[in-house]
């Protein structure tokens, strides 16, 4: 008999609500949850490929213990008892000899993050870190510097917007189903779309206005926009008077940054910049300057992100319909959030973090995420102390931290590498023990507290029994904790027990999620009153243009603009991004997605290609100071001549994933590990490369773009 289970997709982190049709313990069909406004049955291509993922025999089928050198692919299949005992024993020994802080755990923020945080707290380690800094560390810090909220506590009201400005935010390829649908609806109703990108992305092709900006100069553009908006009083004066502090200082600061000046730096005509400022002023406050995610990723990213958020503030679009809003929690309507294991009392931790976040060396990044890309250096230099063991939980440091060669050198120094993964990822392949997690279709997960205009809770509910010998991650961590004597912090046996524990005191029960997959604390959208009661969490209760967060830490709010260096002679700036068919480094081996997009290519401008004797489809060598590799050239006019572009996530080294093995090239091999040392993001676009034609190879057409 067919049945329907409401759950959450996990082909990427967006976690779209889904309806899964099952029959005889098999998944027959997946679609967007029709009960959730904005989904209406939709899924993206990756979500639709979830079935192929479930049945893929190339994922990790049972615990594995390494028998040969790291990365050699020599494994022994193990039972759970054997693998967990091995991990428990080795961790015990490391903790006894070097202290709990010598164990680090890195993960992609997820529903079980409270479990892994509790796992480390229980053994006295401060070294939990997430992917967040790699993705948007400087966005997070910029948002806190202005509003007192993290970017994750902010949302975007696409549906009601009149004009959205996207700084490299490639929303129609780097997808979030609800956001894409809501923006499409707004555009159909006449909303304008301005897209700024050194490369003509799919999003650029849908825009009303597209600017091929000189890479890395968005900050100059924004200073000119702010200059104009203040000079011509195009801002929302009532809102700014009530909620913004530091306007006079901003006005003095942007004085020299005229549109004519910005034209020199960005390549965008001053008159065009003026028209944009005027158009936006007409549509405010229902305008959005999109503050995420990738785009111009440089060592000064914090100031670029602040400039975007400042533009929102000046237009009064914060907490406006069609603008950006602060997410409301259940407390707004007298409700209680789901409990987290981290609420318990743990032993006090006095050691600093491995990345020194929260110390005077690195004061501002968010300590609840840390800064992942600091890990290789910390291990190699034993600074601030030796790290001996690393647990990777849905995170691949080899492909996701720039400079894979340095990362591997650091991994080589560790006594223990354990990976909890669903796939034979590159990090799983390089580990000592692999503990396979059940896929999202095979497990119930921790409760998703979905704050927003309407606070809700969602639940990932198990749809079918695990195909292979796998377990949920939260159960795996509990079972390791039991072997370390810290099992008491994990008061559950099954995921359903954990969910029941989390729901205690909320007034909701596990069974309440069965009919639709979610529960709501209210059915009305909550906006705060724009005149009286926006609750900014800065010390002053206002939007702090002159930021106490930055200045108390010794950083200026408005440093002078430093021109973006052009690439040295015969070099290009390497820029990267995503496509609609893959999630980061996770899906390249998926049977469906691999068939459609098996390989990445290098976008290079036609004039530059001609100068280098490169034709479309030629194989080329691309080299940086950190590494080099081979890839096919995609010769095009659709990219700025200073840049070359490749998709992130290809070039896998794991031989067990045969479809993605050695297909295309990994950007992490080429990138230097440089950071914005104020905001915390890696400067992913600060690496220069050379490109040369590989002689004696046939020109051909790859399947990907
Ligand atoms: N299909 C799919 N969707 C995803 C993801 C995925 O992996 N796959 N991942 C999700 C995650 S975690 C994230 S962070 C988001 C990322 O969402 P986006 O940031 O929208 O995604 P990217 O594809 O990385 O887009 C970066 C764009 O910035 C452009 N760019 C490079 N340099 C500059 C510059 O100097 N200025 C400007 N203005 N643009 C520049 C690049 O050409 C590229 O088009 O996507 C989310 N959605
Ligand atoms: N060089 C370079 N580095 C980057 C970026 C870039 O563009 N270029 N982008 C950055 C960005 S925006 C982000 S968000 C990060 C993402 O960085 P990561 O989190 O490392 O990337 P993902 O591909 O999301 O997932 C990593 C691992 O999770 C595994 N996985 C997938 N589903 C599950 C599951 O259900 N359970 C478990 N246990 N494992 C699972 C996958 O098999 C994969 O090995 O990378 C950042 N790093
Ligand atoms: S955006 Fe696509 S892959 Fe990501 S959760 Fe939604 S449907 Fe799944
Ligand atoms: Mo990301």
């Amino acid at each position: 008999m067919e049945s329907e289970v409401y759950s959450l997709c996990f082909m990427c982190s967006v976690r779209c609500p889904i309806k899964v049709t099952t029959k005889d313990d098999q998944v027959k069909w997946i679609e967007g949850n029709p009960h959730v406004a904005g989904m209406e049955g939709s899924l993206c291509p990756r979500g639709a490929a979830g079935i192929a993922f479930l049945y893929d025999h190339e994922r990790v089928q049972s615990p594995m213990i390494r028998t040969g050198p790291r990365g050699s692919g020599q494994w022994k299949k193990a039972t759970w008892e054997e693998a967990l005992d091995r991990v428990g024993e080795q961790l015990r020994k490391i903790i006894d000899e070097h202290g709990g802080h010598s164990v680090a755990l890195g993960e992609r923020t997820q529903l079980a993050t409270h479990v892994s945080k509790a796992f480390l707290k229980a053994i006295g380690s401060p070294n939990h870190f997430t992917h967040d800094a790699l993705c948007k560390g400087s966005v997070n810090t910029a948002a806190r510097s202005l509003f007192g909220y993290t970017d994750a506590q902010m949302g975007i009201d696409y549906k009601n917007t009149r004009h959205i400005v996207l700084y490299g935010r490639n929303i129609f390829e780097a997808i979030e189903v609800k956001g894409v649908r809501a923006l499409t609806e707004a555009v159909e109703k006449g909303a304008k779309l301005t897209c700024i990108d050194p490369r003509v992305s799919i999003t650029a092709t849908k825009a009303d206005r597209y600017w091929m900006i000189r890479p890395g100069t968005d900050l100059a553009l924004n200073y000119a926009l702010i200059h104009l908006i203040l000079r011509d009083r195009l801002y929302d004066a009532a809102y700014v008077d009530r909620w913004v502090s530091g306007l006079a200082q901003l006005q003095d600061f942007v004085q020299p940054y005229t549109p004519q000046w910005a034209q020199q730096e960005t390549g965008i005509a001053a008159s065009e910049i003026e028209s944009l400022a005027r158009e936006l002023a007409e549509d405010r406050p229902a305008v959005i300057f999109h503050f995420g995610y990738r785009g111009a990723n440089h060592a000064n990213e914090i100031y670029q992100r602040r400039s975007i958020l400042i533009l929102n503030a000046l237009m009064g679009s914060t907490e406006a319909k069609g603008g950006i809003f602060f997410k409301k929690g259940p407390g707004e309507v007298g409700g209680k959030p789901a409990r987290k294991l981290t609420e318990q009392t743990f032993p006090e931790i006095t050691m600093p973090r491995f990345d020194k976040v929260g110390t005077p060396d690195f004061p501002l990044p968010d300590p609840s995420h840390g800064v992942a890309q600091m890990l290789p250096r910390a291990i190699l230099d034993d600074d601030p102390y030796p790290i001996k063991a690393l647990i990777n939980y849905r995170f691949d440091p080899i492909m996701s931290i720039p400079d894979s060669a340095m990362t591997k050198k650091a991994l080589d120094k560790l006594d223990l590498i354990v990976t909890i993964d669903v796939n034979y990822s590159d990090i799983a392949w390089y580990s000592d023990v692999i503990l396979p997690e059940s896929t999202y279709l095979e497990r119930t997960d921790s409760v998703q507290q979905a704050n927003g205009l309407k606070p809700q809770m969602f639940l990932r509910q198990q749809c079918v029994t695990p195909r292979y010998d796998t377990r949920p991650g939260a159960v795996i961590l509990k079972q390791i904790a039991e072997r370390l004597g810290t099992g008491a912090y994990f008061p559950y046996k099954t995921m359903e027990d954990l969910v029941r524990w989390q729901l205690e005191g909320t007034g909701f029960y596990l069974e309440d999620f069965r009919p639709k997959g979610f529960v709501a604390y209210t059915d009305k959208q909550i906006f705060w009153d724009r005149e009286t009661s926006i609750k900014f969490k800065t010390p002053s209760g206002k939007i702090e243009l002159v930021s106490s967060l930055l200045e108390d830490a010794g950083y200026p709010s408005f440093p002078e603009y430093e021109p973006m260096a052009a690439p040295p002679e015969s070099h290009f700036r390497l820029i990267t991004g995503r496509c609609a068919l893959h999630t980061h480094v996770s899906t390249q081996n998926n049977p469906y997605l691999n068939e459609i997009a098996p390989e990445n290519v290098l976008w290079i401008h036609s004039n530059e290609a001609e100068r280098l004797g490169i034709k479309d489809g030629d194989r080329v060598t691309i080299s940086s100071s950190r590494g080099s590799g081979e890839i096919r050239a995609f010769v095009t006019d659709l990219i700025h001549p200073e840049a070359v572009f490749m998709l992130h996530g290809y070039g896998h080294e794991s031989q067990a994933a045969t479809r993605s093995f050695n297909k295309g090239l990994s950007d992490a091999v080429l990138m230097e590990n440089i950071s914005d040392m104020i905001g915390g993001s890696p400067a992913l676009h600060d690496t220069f490369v050379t490109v040369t034609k590989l002689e004696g190879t046939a020109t051909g057409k790859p399947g990907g773009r």
Side-chain angles (χ1 to χ4, degrees):
M1 210 187 67
E2 281 198 352
S3 49
E4 283 167 356
V5 187
Y6 292 98
S7 190
L8 295 171
C9 179
F10 204 36
M11 293 300 284
C12 88
S13 279
V14 172
R15 294 189 288 263
C16 292
I18 49 175
K19 181 173 92 171
V20 180
T21 308
T22 64
K23 191 176 176 202
D24 303 331
D25 204 24
Q26 308 292 329
V27 172
K28 293 290 167 199
W29 183 248
I30 309 176
E31 63 183 81
N33 183 340
H35 299 294
V36 174
M39 286 300 297
E40 280 95 35
S42 303
L43 274 190
C44 88
R46 299 162 297 150
I51 300 185
F53 173 47
L54 173 68
Y55 293 104
D56 184 4
H57 62 274
E58 288 200 356
R59 57 186 174 89
V60 192
Q61 298 195 9
S62 68
M64 302 297 281
I65 296 177
R66 179 172 66 82
T67 54
R70 277 192 184 141
S72 65
Q74 290 163 271
W75 299 103
K76 178 175 91 145
K77 201 169 155 174
T79 63
W80 277 99
E81 284 309 298
E82 228 179 320
L84 291 167
D85 285 349
R86 165 73 74 98
V87 172
E89 257 162 50
Q90 279 191 264
L91 279 178
R92 182 76 271 157
K93 190 160 163 276
I94 289 169
I95 294 166
D96 287 348
E97 280 175 27
H98 305 278
H101 56 274
S102 65
V103 179
L105 184 152
E107 71 178 311
R108 181 84 193 275
T109 315
Q110 55 185 325
L111 298 174
T113 295
H114 71 120
V115 181
S116 34
K117 281 192 170 174
F119 178 87
L120 278 201
K121 281 177 187 282
I123 58 169
S125 172
N127 290 324
H128 178 275
F129 63 97
T130 77
H131 81 294
D132 194 79
L134 288 161
C135 173
K136 55 194 181 62
S138 300
V139 187
N140 177 328
T141 308
R144 282 181 288 121
S145 82
L146 286 155
F147 307 126
Y149 290 99
T150 69
D151 60 302
Q153 293 168 320
M154 289 160 42
I156 295 180
D157 184 13
Y158 293 108
K159 194 170 160 182
N160 296 301
T161 198
R162 302 285 314 135
H163 195 147
I164 184 165
V165 183
L166 302 167
Y167 298 86
R169 175 71 185 95
N170 186 8
I171 194 161
F172 293 115
E173 288 185 274
I175 294 174
E176 169 215 340
V177 171
K178 268 207 247 177
V180 168
R181 288 176 57 83
L183 183 60
T184 307
E185 201 181 315
V187 168
E188 279 166 2
K189 282 191 300 193
K192 293 194 203 81
L193 211 154
T194 292
C195 174
I196 301 159
D197 195 312
R199 174 184 75 101
V200 182
S201 62
I202 299 281
T203 306
T205 65
K206 314 245 177 275
D208 297 279
R209 175 190 281 105
Y210 165 66
W211 287 340
M212 187 180 278
I213 193 168
R214 193 179 145 236
T217 63
D218 302 57
L219 180 56
L221 166 66
N222 281 352
Y223 282 164
L225 281 170
I226 296 172
H227 171 106
L228 277 170
I229 288 168
L230 294 182
R231 187 193 72 190
D232 298 347
R233 299 187 68 81
L234 299 172
Y235 56 94
D236 185 335
Y239 183 90
V240 168
D241 283 352
R242 173 67 186 88
W243 294 115
V244 174
S245 73
L247 191 73
Q249 287 92 328
L250 177 65
Q251 186 136 24
D252 278 355
F253 169 71
V254 294
Q255 201 62 34
Y257 302 123
T258 61
Q260 290 71 21
W261 166 84
Q263 177 173 334
Q264 298 294 318
E265 182 69 3
T266 62
I268 302 167
S271 57
E272 284 278 304
I273 301 175
E274 296 224 13
S275 350
L276 176 64
R278 268 171 234 299
E279 269 180 40
L280 288 160
E282 274 169 30
D283 284 327
R284 69 171 161 74
V287 298
I288 296 161
F289 299 83
H290 202 298
F291 48 82
Y293 289 91
R294 309 277 1 136
N297 303 140
H298 304 280
N300 66 350
E301 191 182 330
I302 176 87
Y303 293 107
Q304 145 72 354
R305 299 299 171 184
R306 273 173 54 82
S307 71
I308 298 176
L309 293 167
I310 288 172
L311 282 163
N312 285 296
L314 295 178
M315 289 302 181
S317 70
T318 41
E319 206 60 20
K321 241 184 160 33
I324 63 182
F325 59 86
F326 301 101
K327 293 183 183 170
K328 315 300 182 303
E332 289 284 324
V333 285
K336 270 207 174 141
R339 295 170 73 193
K340 292 182 173 174
L341 292 176
T342 43
E343 285 168 12
Q344 304 171 92
T345 310
F346 295 92
E348 198 193 346
I349 296 173
T350 49
M351 282 299 207
R353 297 176 52 89
F354 75 86
D355 49 22
K356 302 189 189 167
V357 166
T359 74
D361 285 338
F362 211 9
L364 294 188
D366 188 340
S368 66
H369 293 288
V371 175
Q373 74 271 19
M374 293 295 148
L375 186 71
R377 269 265 75 87
I379 296 174
L380 287 168
D381 298 347
D382 290 337
D383 179 18
Y385 43 70
I387 299 282
K388 294 291 176 186
L390 174 65
I391 303 173
N392 307 286
Y393 182 12
R394 193 177 166 243
F395 174 64
D396 183 349
I398 296 177
M399 295 193 80
S400 304
I401 293 180
D403 195 349
S404 304
M406 178 166 91
T407 305
K408 278 196 200 156
K409 211 165 136 198
L411 293 174
D412 289 342
K413 223 181 133 186
L414 296 173
D415 292 348
L416 179 66
I417 309 174
V418 178
T419 294
I420 304 174
D421 208 312
V422 283
N423 291 309
Y424 271 105
S425 57
D426 283 20
I427 186 61
W429 189 249
Y430 213 73
S431 297
D432 304 328
V433 181
I434 314 176
L435 302 174
E437 180 160 32
S438 310
T439 67
Y440 67 100
L441 294 164
E442 302 165 310
R443 69 178 195 251
T444 295
D445 229 317
S446 289
V447 174
Q448 175 176 18
Q449 191 70 48
N451 295 344
L453 287 174
K454 282 188 236 174
Q456 295 170 311
M457 282 189 281
F458 284 80
L459 190 63
R460 172 170 297 130
Q461 310 195 71
Q462 184 177 353
C463 303
V464 290
T465 46
R467 303 294 98 167
Y468 304 118
D469 190 11
T470 60
R471 294 181 180 176
V475 170
I476 297 173
L477 285 173
K478 174 206 162 72
Q479 291 172 341
I480 301 175
E482 280 167 348
R483 287 160 170 84
L484 301 176
T486 53
Y489 287 102
F490 304 88
Y492 54 90
K493 250 201 152 86
T494 65
M495 290 311 295
E496 286 71 20
D497 297 342
L498 174 55
V499 170
R500 287 197 186 91
W501 181 89
Q502 287 197 278
L503 291 174
E504 277 169 20
T506 63
F508 294 105
Y509 301 90
L510 180 58
E511 293 65 32
D512 297 339
F513 292 85
R514 302 275 186 232
K516 294 183 180 173
F518 67 96
V519 294
Y521 291 88
T522 168
D523 51 11
K524 289 199 186 58
Q525 290 199 337
I526 310 167
F527 277 99
W528 290 324
D529 187 316
R530 274 163 54 83
E531 273 167 34
T532 56
S533 47
I534 308 185
K535 298 168 196 162
F536 293 112
K537 279 220 303 222
T538 50
S540 62
K542 291 198 166 191
I543 300 176
E544 295 188 353
L545 303 182
V546 176
S547 159
S548 50
L549 186 79
L550 287 176
E551 308 231 339
D552 290 352
Y555 301 113
S557 298
F558 308 121
E560 202 178 312
Y561 182 82
E562 284 180 31
M564 188 50 59
E569 177 77 27
S570 312
H571 284 66
F572 300 90
R573 187 179 287 284
L574 176 67
I575 62 176
T576 62
R578 279 137 261 287
C579 69
L581 291 161
H582 285 298
T583 296
H584 300 287
V585 306
S586 302
T587 54
Q588 287 73 20
N589 201 52
N590 179 290
Y592 289 1
L593 300 172
N594 179 275
E595 195 178 319
I596 320 175
E599 183 183 335
N600 59 351
V601 293
L602 188 72
W603 293 43
I604 182 166
H605 191 275
S606 320
N607 296 349
E608 300 299 316
E610 196 182 334
R611 195 171 54 76
L612 296 166
I614 295 167
K615 285 199 277 317
D616 191 35
D618 278 352
R619 287 197 76 77
V620 296
T621 303
I622 173 168
S623 311
S624 73
S625 67
R626 309 313 308 154
S628 67
E630 290 176 29
I631 186 167
R632 262 185 218 285
F634 170 53
V635 176
T636 174
D637 289 339
L638 305 182
I639 184 164
H640 194 284
E642 276 187 16
V644 287
F645 170 87
M646 63 198 279
L647 289 173
H648 169 58
Y650 286 92
H652 285 263
E653 291 179 351
S654 164
Q655 294 176 28
T658 63
R659 305 173 204 106
S660 59
F661 171 62
N662 213 11
K663 295 274 173 56
L665 183 61
S666 166
D667 58 350
V669 165
L670 300 164
M671 286 175 175
E672 297 173 35
N673 187 335
I674 310 167
S675 292
D676 166 357
M677 289 305 293
I678 305 176
S681 277
L684 292 183
H685 295 164
D686 269 344
T687 300
F688 295 117
V689 295
T690 55
V691 182
T692 47
K693 183 176 154 93
L694 212 81
E695 295 301 339
T697 53
T699 301
K701 285 276 174 214
R705 183 174 53 81

